[in-house]
Amino acid sequence: MARYSHVVGSRTHQFADLRALLACATPARSGDALAGLAAASAEQRVAAQMALADLPLATFLGDVVVPYESDEVTRLIIDSHDRAAFAPLSHLTVGDFRNWLLGEAAGTAMLAAVAAGITPEMAAAVSKIMRLQDLILVAAKCRPVTAFRNTIGLPGRFSTRLQPNHPTDDMRGIAASVLDGLLYGSGDAVIGINPATDSVAQQVRLLTMLDQVIARYAIPTQSCVLTHVTNTLAAIEAGAPVDLVFQSIAGTEAANRSFGIDLALLAEARAAALSLGRGTVGRNVMYFETGQGSALSASAHHGVDQQTCEARAYAVARAFEPLLVNSVVGFIGPEYLYDGKQIIRAGLEDHFCAKLMGLPMGCDCCYTNHAEADQDDMDNLLTLLAAAGCTFVMGVAGADDIMLNYQSTSFHDALYARRLLGLRPAPEFEAWLQAMGIFDDTGRLGLALPAPFQRALDLLP
């Protein structure tokens, strides 16, 4: 017998369980269709959304979408749930929750107070009945703040990850891209490299080079080489200057196992990074990336729609107090998010759900070249996310990552968003940009190469 149903006109739509209800209520996307989970019609989708709106939030504490006994992410979600934080919301349905979030009572302080009481499934459920403007308005009120060598997420601030990837990890090529990004005011979130060569020795060389650049110019930022967490642990043991520990994560134990990780390994890595004591203004040492479709691509989604699986990844991230989290929203490909419309919706959903759960959420506004999307779509998503208070976006030379072979956002794109909306970099980084002459006191770019950078590339042989 179906557990959930809703009548539309003369037709009764039935949904076998909570997983089916959430999946059918999800706005259309190719990944759910590929998995056989999507609503069969627009009418069925509306019926599911209406049934979902009537569902009490407390339902999600007793009816789990992935079995508690066999999934450590579910156990984390249930066992760490803060019932005191949930108390102000405990009487609400999903529809009531949407109305409350859009109301005046849900200000920044209140949203921070209830964040630990919001489970991923609650966040995913309410996002499914929200328009884009709803997702933007509520996310803009959520202001989680984190810190390491600078302070990320303050009101009126918009940070960037400087992404100087190179197809052969050439040190001069990477250094040139770092210099280019810094001269556009990019890099306050992190200077983060995806290495072309996945070896501990190469990671140590890259980390050492970035550490030398940061130290030589006294840049108040942090570096990261985005390799597997076990490589980073080995680099720490080798004495490398590790600032942040990176790892891709997902929303089920099986999906994380496909990445070669579990919660215990993440805890070990966090403890190792904290033991180095390299932060100056804070102790947030983790950097996580996520993306809708990762659990499905690993056949580890347990019949749960990809957006709900994605929200569950944020429970994993939340447990480790990260400095940065971002969805690489269009990276997996059109099999999961088919076109610009789906990518834009997913990016705003991801940002909303993570912020609602108290995470410092950024987004890689990106697409692969075989998706039905282009840079106009990324301009739209970038602008909407900046208006929504997105913590950070990517800065890639020319918006074209020549190592990962996908399209993202450029140094100039972030500068545009800051100018358009009156946003500024992290305060410590902004002060450094002004002291170096890269920015003037109004936040405008200087016209000449700052003297300290005249011989920047001579750092390397």
Side-chain angles (χ1 to χ4, degrees), residues 222-385:
Q222 36 283 328
S223 69
C224 185
V225 173
L226 283 72
T227 186
H228 194 270
V229 63
T230 53
N231 285 349
T232 304
L233 278 168
I236 291 173
E237 292 173 2
V242 172
D243 291 339
L244 304 183
V245 174
F246 168 82
Q247 183 56 48
S248 295
I249 57 173
T252 70
E253 179 179 344
N256 283 326
R257 194 182 305 122
S258 76
F259 289 153
I261 63 167
D262 57 22
L263 300 181
L265 180 59
L266 295 178
E268 178 186 354
R270 179 173 181 265
L274 285 171
S275 72
L276 300 180
R278 291 176 59 82
T280 56
V281 297
R283 288 168 49 84
N284 299 113
V285 296
M286 303 299 284
Y287 175 17
F288 296 118
E289 281 191 342
T290 67
Q292 289 193 29
S294 57
L296 175 57
S297 69
S299 298
H301 60 295
H302 297 274
V304 179
D305 69 272
Q306 66 183 38
Q307 192 251 335
T308 301
C309 279
E310 170 72 3
R312 285 169 55 91
Y314 306 151
V316 176
R318 182 165 63 178
F320 299 100
E321 301 179 8
L323 178 74
L324 306 167
V325 184
N326 72 262
S327 166
V328 193
V329 65
F331 183 75
I332 302 181
E335 300 85 357
Y336 304 96
L337 296 170
Y338 177 73
D339 57 14
K341 181 180 177 67
Q342 292 187 9
I343 291 170
I344 289 168
R345 170 83 197 188
L348 292 171
E349 288 170 348
D350 295 350
H351 179 252
F352 163 85
C353 288
K355 282 289 185 67
L356 197 60
M357 293 173 61
L359 286 172
M361 190 65 173
C363 185
D364 190 343
C365 305
C366 64
Y367 64 99
T368 56
N369 288 313
H370 61 309
E372 291 295 323
D374 59 27
Q375 213 64 35
D376 286 344
D377 296 311
M378 298 308 102
D379 282 353
N380 286 338
L381 180 55
L382 169 66
T383 305
L384 294 171
L385 283 168

Side-chain angles (χ1 to χ4, degrees), residues 2-21:
R3 297 184 57 189
Y4 303 98
S5 63
H6 193 85
V7 178
V8 179
S10 61
R11 192 194 310 267
T12 299
H13 293 270
Q14 297 185 333
F15 308 95
D17 53 25
L18 186 57
R19 292 179 303 176
L21 179 63

